Structures are given as structure tokens and as C-alpha cells.
Amino acid sequence: DYELCEEWGYLYPVPREDLINLHREHLLHLLEMGDMEKALQLLQRIEDPGICLAISEQSLDQHPNLAASHFLADYLTAHFYANLTTARRNEIQALYMGSKVLLTLPELSRVNYFHLSSRPLLMLEQLLMNMKVDWVAVTVQTLHQLLAGQEIGFTVEDIDNLLSKYAEKALNFPFALKEKRS
């Protein structure tokens, strides 16, 4: 049905908003089905870059599944980086990094941290509080790789400070040890 509507749009004038809505719904459908290749082909078929940007941003704002969010954040960063405001750029890059970190976690646990996908530093803190040390190690390694040369509102130093804070708390004893006297 989406393809038929798209063909109809080539033959008859369709209002811009209706065209954006059609392509957005088609894109979200393809992403939900896991067909990233067809989703990319759909975006490449759209000739007007303004419409393509609107479709991609609106689709991302619909909070699709993890793989779709990762795909859209990557696509927007790769193709429309210069067209985005600094705040929006940081938001999309944080979502990209958060989704990348989530993809490194065990599949059954991802749902517990999905709500933090746009806040990777907070996700790291949550993993630390839940004492998921192995996951923290992978998360820190992934974030270090992704942060190289990036500026998204937090730095490698922020990660190190967070780790230091929780390491200090782990060594903090709430009581004083008594000395034995002979």
C-alpha cells in the first residue's frame, strides 16, 4: 500500500505534509520489520533533502525500537549534520551512543535500560548502581571509542569522574573498626 501511495504521489500533486506523513509511516513500518536496506533505499529515493530531513527527524521522535533508533540517529548524523542545531546534534549523537551501548548489553536486559538510551552517562551510572561490573566495562570501552573526537555534552573525563565516585563509595565503610586491646 505504501508503494502504491508513493507512485500516486509521483503522478498527482500531494501536499508536502501528506507526503512527509506517508514516507514517515512507510519508513517506520520498514524499520519495525527490521528491513534496514529497504528503509535506506526509501530515504535515498526522496529527492527533496528538506523532506528527507523532516521524515528522519519525525521518525526518530516517535521513539521506535532500539535498532530503528540507532539507524535513524546514524543516518541523521551522516547526512544532515550541518542542518541540525547544536542542541539537536548533541541529542541525536547521545541517542546514537546510548543505542550503541544498549546493543552491547545482553538482549533480555536491554528493555530495563531502553528508557535511558538518549542519556548514556546516566545509563552507565544505573549499571554501576546495579553492580553490573562486566556490563560497565563493555559500556566504558564502547563510550571511550565513540567519544573520540566527539562533543555531545559529556566527555571521557566525566566518565572517569563517575567511575571514581562509585569506586570511592564502594570503599566507604559506614562504621569504624575497633582495635583489639591485649
Side-chain angles (χ1 to χ4, degrees):
D1 291 344
Y2 290 119
E3 290 169 5
L4 178 63
C5 289
E6 189 177 333
E7 287 177 30
W8 187 267
Y10 289 125
L11 299 174
Y12 297 98
V14 176
R16 178 183 162 92
E17 284 307 310
D18 292 341
L19 197 58
I20 289 172
N21 290 338
L22 165 70
H23 287 306
R24 184 189 66 237
E25 293 303 318
H26 188 190
L27 179 63
L28 287 170
H29 172 73
L30 291 171
L31 292 173
E32 290 294 323
M33 300 300 290
D35 198 343
M36 305 303 174
E37 187 64 34
K38 282 190 178 179
L40 184 60
Q41 290 171 3
L42 170 65
L43 290 170
Q44 290 171 341
R45 278 196 310 266
I46 300 169
E47 295 173 4
D48 184 345
I51 290 178
C52 191
L53 173 61
I55 291 164
S56 302
E57 277 195 290
Q58 287 178 20
S59 296
L60 186 63
D61 291 340
Q62 298 260 327
H63 304 291
N65 65 35
L66 177 61
S69 294
H70 188 71
F71 171 85
L72 289 166
D74 186 35
Y75 184 82
L76 281 164
T77 303
H79 294 88
F80 296 107
Y81 190 82
N83 301 68
L84 302 168
T85 64
T86 304
R88 184 68 170 160
R89 226 180 277 150
N90 289 347
E91 179 186 326
I92 290 171
Q93 285 181 318
L95 181 62
Y96 175 79
M97 288 184 187
S99 61
K100 187 77 167 179
V101 166
L102 275 173
L103 289 170
T104 66
L105 299 180
E107 193 169 343
L108 296 175
S109 302
R110 293 175 188 165
V111 69
N112 298 330
Y113 300 96
F114 183 74
H115 66 285
L116 299 172
S117 61
S118 62
R119 304 194 53 206
L121 201 57
L122 192 57
M123 188 186 316
L124 174 62
E125 187 168 6
Q126 187 71 48
L127 290 169
L128 283 166
M129 288 192 298
N130 291 342
M131 305 205 32
K132 304 291 186 184
V133 180
D134 294 340
W135 299 357
V136 167
V138 173
T139 299
V140 168
Q141 182 181 11
T142 303
L143 287 174
H144 276 265
Q145 290 171 353
L146 293 172
L147 278 172
Q150 299 284 330
E151 193 172 315
I152 66 159
F154 70 92
T155 63
V156 172
E157 288 77 29
D158 293 326
I159 294 171
D160 293 343
N161 290 338
L162 187 64
L163 292 172
S164 296
K165 176 180 151 186
Y166 278 89
E168 183 180 316
K169 286 182 181 205
L171 296 175
N172 191 8
F173 296 103
F175 57 89
L177 296 174
K178 294 183 180 180
E179 292 182 25
K180 288 187 176 180
R181 296 183 190 218
S182 57

